[in-house]
Amino acid sequence: MRGFLGGLVVAAVLSGAAQAASVHDCDETANAGNIVEPWEKNSRTFYNGQVRVAYLDTGGEPVCCSGHLLVAIPGDDNEPGGGQTCFVVSDHDTLGFMAIGFDKLSTSYDPNRGLLIAFPFERYIDGIRSTKGTAKVRVNIAKHSVTVEK
């Protein structure tokens, strides 16, 4: 039975490997206390401060996947509360990455599509081994969206 359950865990992790990231609305992961210190090195702004990006770590829990990327963008002025819209970029579902190379985060801009954010990551494969990759997300302020790019 133990081997069967372990196989299910490995299959679940590997099934998420096809996509380099997932984006979801902010939840408890986006707590300001989870921004990796020092904030000056683990947060950046773009679009004259309208887009904020920060490296989050949920204190090593779960051990395999505690690293996430926070992306805050301007909210929809036509919606009540307008303000900011907050997203969390995780490995798959709401499980984070083993590590994010925030210092290697890069961006490019396409006026028709928005800001592309690319960052290197490391993820556990099976609880013993890990693999590295690059995740990309597209920030489109006009559409109030953050989406995964392939």
Side-chain angles (χ1 to χ4, degrees), residues 1 4 14 28 35 45 51 65 83 85 104 131-133 135 150:
M1 182 70 162
F4 175 74
L14 290 177
E28 64 277 354
I35 297 175
T45 60
V51 175
C65 13
T85 303
K104 306 250 189 301
T131 187
K132 296 179 181 184
K150 297 190 186 220

Side-chain angles (χ1 to χ4, degrees), residues 17 24 45 47 50 52 58 69 76:
H24 54 94
T45 60
Y47 288 125
Q50 293 182 71
R52 299 175 189 280
T58 56
L69 195 70
D76 186 348

